Amino acid sequence: MPRRDRSRRAAFTRLGPLDTSIPVSTGTARLTLENDGSVLLDVNGVPSSHLHPDPEHLVFEYMRWMLLVIDRHLAELPAPQGPGTTVAPGGTPAPAPQLAHLGGGGCSLPRAIAARHPRTRQTVVEIDELLAQQVRDWFDLPRSPQLRLRIEDALSALASWREDRFDVLVRDVFSGMVTPAELTTRETAAHADRVLREGGIYLANCAAPPGSGLLADEVATLSAVFPHIGVIAEPAHLSGKRRGNCVLLASRRPLPAGIDRDLRSDAVSVRLASQPRVEALARAGRVLRSC
């Protein structure tokens, strides 16, 4: 493995100490500076975020896939009609797009969205208070109202939100290498449906171990709530032969057109699964419920 060039300066001028354990509320974090000036953030020994000096450059593949879906979805919302203003059909003022993220880490995806879509308003829920305080300074994250950090358990925050609040909801929560079971249930999917505006979209990061059936279970669970489901995955992940991140999409309206075409330009071989494949996964899985 080539040695990292420590003589390079990071674009992030307020980073914490590199290559050492940093105490956070849930354990420890670690910052590693890469040759291109990007920074890898590990939390409790697991890669959590990878932030590049260019906020729109996402290193983690699944975040790139999420961003292109969000780009497509936001493009279908009412367009700006003046500085800081949008007008919905019929001439009534349209609010700025509202996005929520369950799970924050280093906020790579919210940071990219804020740079690409500065009119959006984002709420990021992160359970680790000390980590949230530090990443805002380390990575010079946008401030509220553009990007608001909320310190709370993801499910508690989701259950507390009012109906029809968000255009986009992202689930990217992990405890170690797995998503907490309570965030994969039908009840959680129903909460996601409740807080989304009409036509809103739910994106969930699913890292299913080979042979676990978790991907099929999650697809079956989302299908019990939402009429339109999509799965973005590499072929080996879709077949369950290899562990990897898959992005699940759920909405009450048809998914944005052009997603699969956009995916073909990604650096890895990834596709939006065909509808028959999604339906087969739903039939093979079981609907997960709260105990």
Side-chain angles (χ1 to χ4, degrees), residues 10-15 36-40 49-60 63 67 70-71 99 101 103-124 135-143 146-149 170:
F12 306 105
T13 59
R14 294 188 291 181
L15 283 177
D36 61 357
S38 64
V39 176
L40 175 64
S49 305
H50 199 149
L51 293 99
H52 191 273
D54 176 1
E56 296 183 44
H57 181 89
L58 293 171
V59 179
F60 288 176
M63 289 190 181
L67 182 59
I70 292 169
D71 286 344
L99 294 83
H101 304 258
C107 293
S108 304
L109 181 61
R111 177 173 172 258
I113 294 168
R116 186 171 295 187
H117 303 283
R119 291 190 58 262
T120 57
R121 298 293 178 259
Q122 301 183 78
T123 299
V124 178
V135 298
R136 187 179 282 285
D137 290 333
W138 290 344
F139 304 120
D140 193 24
L141 299 178
R143 298 285 170 171
Q146 192 176 27
L147 198 163
R148 175 176 171 245
L149 292 174
V170 176

Coordinates of all heavy atoms in Angstrom, one line a residue, residues 10-15 36-40 49-60 63 67 70-71 99 101 103-124 135-143 146-149 170:
A10 N -4.6 19.7 4.0 CA -6.0 19.4 3.8 C -6.7 20.7 3.5 O -6.4 21.8 3.9 CB -6.6 18.8 5.0
A11 N -7.8 20.6 2.6 CA -8.6 21.7 2.4 C -9.4 22.1 3.6 O -9.9 23.2 3.7 CB -9.5 21.5 1.2
F12 N -9.6 21.2 4.5 CA -10.3 21.4 5.8 C -9.3 22.0 6.8 O -8.4 21.2 7.2 CB -10.9 20.1 6.2 CG -11.8 19.5 5.2 CD1 -11.4 18.3 4.5 CD2 -13.0 20.0 4.9 CE1 -12.1 17.7 3.6 CE2 -13.8 19.4 3.9 CZ -13.4 18.2 3.3
T13 N -9.4 23.2 7.1 CA -8.4 23.9 7.9 C -8.6 23.7 9.4 O -7.7 24.1 10.2 CB -8.3 25.4 7.6 OG1 -9.6 26.0 7.8 CG2 -8.0 25.6 6.1
R14 N -9.7 23.1 9.8 CA -10.0 23.0 11.3 C -10.2 21.6 11.7 O -10.9 21.3 12.6 CB -11.2 23.8 11.6 CG -11.0 25.3 11.5 CD -12.1 26.2 12.0 NE -13.3 26.0 11.2 CZ -14.5 26.6 11.4 NH1 -14.6 27.4 12.4 NH2 -15.5 26.4 10.6
L15 N -9.5 20.7 11.0 CA -9.6 19.3 11.4 C -9.0 19.0 12.8 O -8.2 19.7 13.3 CB -8.7 18.4 10.4 CG -9.3 18.2 9.0 CD1 -8.4 17.4 8.2 CD2 -10.7 17.4 9.1
D36 N -5.4 13.1 -1.9 CA -6.1 14.1 -2.6 C -6.7 15.2 -1.7 O -7.5 16.0 -2.2 CB -7.2 13.5 -3.5 CG -8.3 12.7 -2.6 OD1 -8.1 12.6 -1.4 OD2 -9.2 12.2 -3.2
G37 N -6.4 15.2 -0.4 CA -6.9 16.2 0.5 C -8.2 15.8 1.1 O -8.8 16.5 2.0
S38 N -8.8 14.6 0.7 CA -10.0 14.2 1.3 C -9.7 13.6 2.7 O -8.6 13.2 3.0 CB -10.7 13.2 0.4 OG -10.0 12.0 0.2
V39 N -10.8 13.4 3.5 CA -10.6 12.9 4.8 C -11.6 11.7 5.0 O -12.8 11.9 4.8 CB -10.9 14.0 5.9 CG1 -10.8 13.5 7.3 CG2 -9.9 15.1 5.7
L40 N -11.1 10.6 5.5 CA -11.9 9.5 5.9 C -12.2 9.6 7.4 O -11.3 9.7 8.2 CB -11.2 8.2 5.6 CG -11.9 6.9 6.0 CD1 -13.2 6.7 5.3 CD2 -11.0 5.7 5.8
S49 N -17.8 8.1 6.9 CA -17.9 9.2 5.9 C -16.6 9.4 5.3 O -15.5 9.2 5.9 CB -18.4 10.5 6.5 OG -19.6 10.3 7.2
H50 N -16.6 9.9 4.0 CA -15.4 10.3 3.3 C -15.7 11.6 2.6 O -16.5 11.7 1.7 CB -15.0 9.2 2.3 CG -13.6 9.3 1.8 ND1 -12.9 8.2 1.4 CD2 -12.8 10.3 1.7 CE1 -11.7 8.5 1.1 NE2 -11.6 9.8 1.2
L51 N -15.0 12.6 3.1 CA -15.3 14.0 2.6 C -14.2 14.5 1.8 O -13.0 14.5 2.2 CB -15.6 14.9 3.8 CG -16.9 14.6 4.6 CD1 -16.6 13.8 5.8 CD2 -17.7 15.8 4.9
H52 N -14.6 15.0 0.6 CA -13.6 15.5 -0.3 C -13.6 17.0 -0.3 O -14.6 17.7 0.1 CB -14.0 15.0 -1.8 CG -12.9 15.3 -2.8 ND1 -12.9 16.4 -3.5 CD2 -11.9 14.5 -3.2 CE1 -11.8 16.4 -4.4 NE2 -11.3 15.2 -4.2
P53 N -12.5 17.7 -0.6 CA -12.5 19.2 -0.7 C -13.6 19.7 -1.5 O -14.2 20.8 -1.2 CB -11.1 19.5 -1.2 CG -10.3 18.4 -0.8 CD -11.1 17.2 -0.8
D54 N -13.9 19.1 -2.6 CA -15.1 19.4 -3.5 C -16.3 18.8 -2.9 O -16.4 17.5 -2.9 CB -14.9 18.9 -4.9 CG -16.1 19.2 -5.8 OD1 -17.1 19.8 -5.3 OD2 -16.0 18.8 -7.0
P55 N -17.2 19.5 -2.3 CA -18.3 18.9 -1.6 C -19.2 18.0 -2.5 O -19.9 17.1 -2.0 CB -19.1 20.1 -1.0 CG -18.7 21.3 -1.8 CD -17.3 21.0 -2.2
E56 N -19.2 18.3 -3.8 CA -20.1 17.5 -4.7 C -19.4 16.2 -5.1 O -20.0 15.4 -5.8 CB -20.5 18.3 -5.9 CG -21.4 19.5 -5.5 CD -21.9 20.3 -6.7 OE1 -22.3 19.6 -7.7 OE2 -21.8 21.5 -6.7
H57 N -18.2 16.0 -4.7 CA -17.4 14.8 -5.1 C -17.6 13.8 -3.9 O -17.1 13.9 -2.9 CB -15.9 15.1 -5.3 CG -15.2 13.8 -5.6 ND1 -15.0 13.4 -6.9 CD2 -14.5 12.9 -4.9 CE1 -14.2 12.3 -7.0 NE2 -14.0 12.0 -5.7
L58 N -18.5 12.8 -4.2 CA -18.8 11.8 -3.2 C -18.0 10.5 -3.4 O -18.1 9.9 -4.5 CB -20.3 11.5 -3.2 CG -21.2 12.6 -2.7 CD1 -22.6 12.3 -2.9 CD2 -20.9 12.9 -1.2
V59 N -17.2 10.1 -2.4 CA -16.3 8.9 -2.6 C -17.1 7.6 -2.4 O -16.9 6.7 -3.2 CB -15.2 9.0 -1.6 CG1 -14.3 7.8 -1.7 CG2 -14.4 10.3 -1.8
F60 N -18.0 7.5 -1.5 CA -18.8 6.3 -1.2 C -19.8 6.2 -2.4 O -20.6 7.1 -2.6 CB -19.5 6.4 0.1 CG -18.6 6.2 1.3 CD1 -19.2 6.3 2.6 CD2 -17.3 5.9 1.2 CE1 -18.4 6.2 3.7 CE2 -16.5 5.8 2.3 CZ -17.0 5.9 3.6
M63 N -23.6 6.8 -1.9 CA -24.0 8.2 -1.7 C -24.1 8.9 -3.1 O -25.0 9.8 -3.3 CB -23.0 9.0 -0.9 CG -23.1 8.6 0.6 SD -22.1 9.7 1.7 CE -22.4 8.9 3.3
L67 N -27.5 10.7 -4.5 CA -27.5 12.1 -4.9 C -28.1 12.2 -6.3 O -28.9 13.1 -6.6 CB -26.1 12.6 -5.0 CG -25.9 14.1 -5.4 CD1 -26.7 15.0 -4.5 CD2 -24.5 14.5 -5.4
I70 N -31.8 12.0 -5.9 CA -32.3 13.3 -5.3 C -32.3 14.4 -6.3 O -33.2 15.2 -6.4 CB -31.5 13.6 -4.1 CG1 -31.8 12.6 -2.9 CG2 -31.8 15.1 -3.6 CD1 -30.8 12.7 -1.8
D71 N -31.2 14.5 -7.2 CA -31.2 15.4 -8.3 C -32.4 15.3 -9.2 O -33.1 16.3 -9.5 CB -29.9 15.2 -9.1 CG -28.7 15.7 -8.5 OD1 -28.7 16.5 -7.5 OD2 -27.6 15.3 -8.9
L99 N -35.6 18.4 3.2 CA -35.0 17.0 3.2 C -34.6 16.7 4.6 O -34.2 17.5 5.4 CB -33.7 17.0 2.3 CG -33.9 17.1 0.8 CD1 -33.9 18.6 0.4 CD2 -32.8 16.4 0.0
H101 N -32.4 13.6 7.0 CA -31.5 12.5 7.0 C -31.5 11.8 8.3 O -31.2 12.5 9.3 CB -30.1 13.0 6.6 CG -29.9 13.7 5.4 ND1 -29.4 13.2 4.2 CD2 -30.3 15.0 5.0 CE1 -29.4 14.1 3.2 NE2 -29.9 15.2 3.7
G103 N -29.4 9.7 10.4 CA -28.0 9.3 10.4 C -27.2 10.4 9.8 O -27.5 10.8 8.7
G104 N -26.2 10.9 10.5 CA -25.4 12.0 10.0 C -23.9 11.6 9.7 O -23.4 11.8 8.6
G105 N -23.2 11.1 10.7 CA -21.8 10.9 10.6 C -21.1 12.2 10.2 O -21.3 13.2 10.9
G106 N -20.3 12.2 9.2 CA -19.6 13.4 8.7 C -20.5 14.3 7.8 O -20.0 15.3 7.3
C107 N -21.7 13.9 7.5 CA -22.6 14.7 6.7 C -22.2 14.8 5.2 O -22.3 15.9 4.6 CB -22.9 16.0 7.3 SG -23.9 15.9 8.9
S108 N -21.5 13.8 4.7 CA -21.1 13.9 3.3 C -22.2 14.2 2.3 O -22.1 15.1 1.5 CB -20.4 12.6 2.9 OG -19.4 12.2 3.7
L109 N -23.3 13.4 2.4 CA -24.4 13.6 1.4 C -25.1 15.0 1.7 O -25.3 15.7 0.7 CB -25.4 12.5 1.5 CG -26.6 12.5 0.6 CD1 -26.1 12.6 -0.9 CD2 -27.5 11.3 0.8
P110 N -25.5 15.3 2.9 CA -26.1 16.6 3.1 C -25.2 17.8 2.6 O -25.7 18.8 2.1 CB -26.3 16.7 4.6 CG -26.4 15.3 5.0 CD -25.5 14.5 4.1
R111 N -23.9 17.7 2.8 CA -23.0 18.7 2.4 C -23.0 18.8 0.8 O -23.0 19.9 0.3 CB -21.6 18.4 2.9 CG -20.4 19.3 2.4 CD -19.2 18.9 3.2 NE -18.0 19.6 2.7 CZ -17.1 19.1 1.8 NH1 -17.2 17.8 1.4 NH2 -16.0 19.8 1.4
A112 N -23.0 17.7 0.2 CA -23.1 17.7 -1.3 C -24.4 18.3 -1.8 O -24.4 19.1 -2.8 CB -22.9 16.3 -1.8
I113 N -25.5 18.0 -1.2 CA -26.8 18.5 -1.6 C -26.8 20.0 -1.3 O -27.3 20.8 -2.2 CB -27.9 17.8 -0.8 CG1 -28.0 16.3 -1.2 CG2 -29.3 18.5 -1.0 CD1 -28.9 15.5 -0.3
A114 N -26.3 20.5 -0.2 CA -26.3 21.9 0.1 C -25.5 22.7 -1.0 O -25.9 23.8 -1.4 CB -25.7 22.2 1.5
A115 N -24.4 22.1 -1.5 CA -23.6 22.7 -2.5 C -24.3 22.8 -3.8 O -24.2 23.7 -4.6 CB -22.2 22.0 -2.6
R116 N -24.9 21.7 -4.2 CA -25.6 21.5 -5.5 C -27.0 22.2 -5.5 O -27.4 22.7 -6.6 CB -25.7 20.1 -5.9 CG -26.2 19.9 -7.3 CD -26.1 18.4 -7.7 NE -24.7 18.0 -7.8 CZ -24.3 16.8 -8.3 NH1 -25.3 15.9 -8.8 NH2 -23.1 16.4 -8.4
H117 N -27.7 22.2 -4.4 CA -29.0 22.7 -4.3 C -29.1 23.6 -3.1 O -29.7 23.3 -2.1 CB -30.0 21.6 -4.2 CG -30.0 20.6 -5.3 ND1 -30.5 20.8 -6.6 CD2 -29.4 19.3 -5.3 CE1 -30.3 19.7 -7.3 NE2 -29.6 18.8 -6.6
P118 N -28.5 24.8 -3.2 CA -28.4 25.7 -2.1 C -29.8 26.2 -1.5 O -29.8 26.6 -0.4 CB -27.6 26.9 -2.6 CG -27.7 26.8 -4.1 CD -27.9 25.4 -4.4
R119 N -30.8 26.1 -2.3 CA -32.1 26.5 -1.7 C -32.8 25.5 -0.8 O -33.7 25.8 -0.1 CB -33.1 26.7 -2.9 CG -32.8 28.0 -3.8 CD -34.0 28.2 -4.7 NE -35.2 28.4 -3.9 CZ -36.2 27.5 -3.7 NH1 -36.0 26.3 -4.2 NH2 -37.3 27.8 -3.1
T120 N -32.3 24.3 -0.8 CA -32.8 23.2 0.1 C -32.6 23.5 1.5 O -31.7 24.2 1.9 CB -32.2 21.8 -0.3 OG1 -30.8 21.9 -0.1 CG2 -32.6 21.4 -1.7
R121 N -33.5 23.0 2.3 CA -33.4 23.1 3.8 C -33.3 21.6 4.3 O -34.2 20.8 4.0 CB -34.6 23.8 4.4 CG -34.7 25.3 3.9 CD -33.5 26.1 4.4 NE -33.6 27.5 4.0 CZ -32.8 28.0 3.0 NH1 -32.0 27.1 2.3 NH2 -32.9 29.2 2.7
Q122 N -32.3 21.3 5.0 CA -32.0 19.9 5.4 C -31.9 19.8 7.0 O -31.4 20.7 7.6 CB -30.7 19.4 4.8 CG -30.7 19.4 3.3 CD -29.4 18.8 2.8 OE1 -29.2 17.6 2.7 NE2 -28.5 19.7 2.4
T123 N -32.5 18.7 7.5 CA -32.4 18.4 8.9 C -31.7 17.0 9.0 O -32.1 16.1 8.3 CB -33.8 18.3 9.5 OG1 -34.5 19.5 9.5 CG2 -33.6 17.8 11.0
V124 N -30.6 17.0 9.7 CA -29.8 15.8 9.9 C -29.9 15.3 11.3 O -29.6 16.1 12.2 CB -28.3 16.0 9.5 CG1 -27.5 14.7 9.8 CG2 -28.2 16.5 8.1
V135 N -17.9 17.5 13.7 CA -17.9 17.5 12.2 C -18.3 18.8 11.7 O -17.9 19.2 10.6 CB -18.8 16.3 11.7 CG1 -18.2 15.0 12.1 CG2 -20.2 16.5 12.0
R136 N -19.2 19.5 12.4 CA -19.6 20.8 11.8 C -18.4 21.8 11.7 O -18.2 22.5 10.7 CB -20.7 21.5 12.7 CG -21.2 22.8 12.1 CD -22.3 23.4 12.9 NE -23.6 22.8 12.8 CZ -24.4 22.9 11.7 NH1 -24.0 23.6 10.7 NH2 -25.6 22.4 11.7
D137 N -17.5 21.7 12.7 CA -16.3 22.5 12.6 C -15.2 21.9 11.7 O -14.6 22.6 10.9 CB -15.7 22.7 14.1 CG -16.6 23.5 14.9 OD1 -17.3 24.4 14.4 OD2 -16.6 23.4 16.2
W138 N -15.0 20.6 11.8 CA -14.0 19.9 11.0 C -14.2 20.2 9.5 O -13.2 20.4 8.8 CB -13.9 18.4 11.3 CG -13.4 18.0 12.6 CD1 -12.7 18.8 13.5 CD2 -13.7 16.7 13.3 NE1 -12.5 18.0 14.7 CE2 -13.0 16.8 14.5 CE3 -14.3 15.6 12.9 CZ2 -13.0 15.7 15.4 CZ3 -14.3 14.5 13.7 CH2 -13.6 14.5 15.0
F139 N -15.4 20.1 9.1 CA -15.7 20.1 7.7 C -16.5 21.3 7.2 O -17.0 21.3 6.1 CB -16.5 18.8 7.3 CG -15.8 17.5 7.7 CD1 -16.4 16.6 8.6 CD2 -14.5 17.2 7.2 CE1 -15.7 15.5 9.0 CE2 -13.8 16.1 7.6 CZ -14.4 15.2 8.5
D140 N -16.5 22.3 8.1 CA -17.1 23.6 7.7 C -18.5 23.4 7.1 O -18.8 23.9 6.0 CB -16.2 24.4 6.8 CG -16.6 25.8 6.6 OD1 -17.3 26.4 7.6 OD2 -16.3 26.4 5.6
L141 N -19.4 22.7 7.8 CA -20.7 22.4 7.2 C -21.6 23.7 7.2 O -21.4 24.6 8.0 CB -21.4 21.3 8.1 CG -20.7 20.0 8.2 CD1 -21.5 19.0 9.1 CD2 -20.5 19.3 6.8
P142 N -22.5 23.7 6.2 CA -23.4 24.9 6.2 C -24.2 25.0 7.5 O -24.4 24.0 8.2 CB -24.3 24.5 5.0 CG -23.6 23.6 4.2 CD -22.7 22.8 5.1
R143 N -24.6 26.2 7.8 CA -25.3 26.4 9.1 C -26.8 26.4 8.8 O -27.3 26.4 7.7 CB -24.9 27.8 9.6 CG -23.4 27.9 10.0 CD -23.1 27.1 11.2 NE -21.6 27.0 11.5 CZ -21.1 26.5 12.6 NH1 -21.9 26.2 13.6 NH2 -19.8 26.4 12.8
Q146 N -29.9 26.2 6.4 CA -29.6 25.4 5.2 C -29.3 23.9 5.7 O -29.8 23.0 5.0 CB -28.4 25.9 4.5 CG -28.1 25.3 3.1 CD -27.0 25.9 2.4 OE1 -26.1 26.4 2.9 NE2 -27.0 25.8 1.0
L147 N -28.6 23.8 6.8 CA -28.4 22.4 7.3 C -28.4 22.5 8.8 O -27.6 23.1 9.4 CB -27.0 21.9 6.8 CG -26.7 20.4 6.9 CD1 -25.5 20.0 6.0 CD2 -26.5 19.9 8.3
R148 N -29.4 21.8 9.3 CA -29.6 21.8 10.8 C -29.3 20.4 11.3 O -29.8 19.4 10.8 CB -31.1 22.1 11.1 CG -31.5 22.0 12.5 CD -32.9 22.5 12.8 NE -33.3 22.2 14.1 CZ -34.3 21.4 14.5 NH1 -34.9 20.7 13.5 NH2 -34.6 21.2 15.7
L149 N -28.5 20.4 12.4 CA -28.2 19.1 13.1 C -29.1 19.0 14.3 O -29.1 19.8 15.1 CB -26.7 19.1 13.5 CG -25.7 19.1 12.3 CD1 -24.3 19.2 12.9 CD2 -25.8 17.8 11.5
V170 N -34.0 10.4 3.9 CA -32.8 9.4 3.7 C -32.6 8.7 5.0 O -32.5 9.3 6.1 CB -31.6 10.2 3.3 CG1 -30.4 9.2 3.2 CG2 -31.8 10.9 2.0

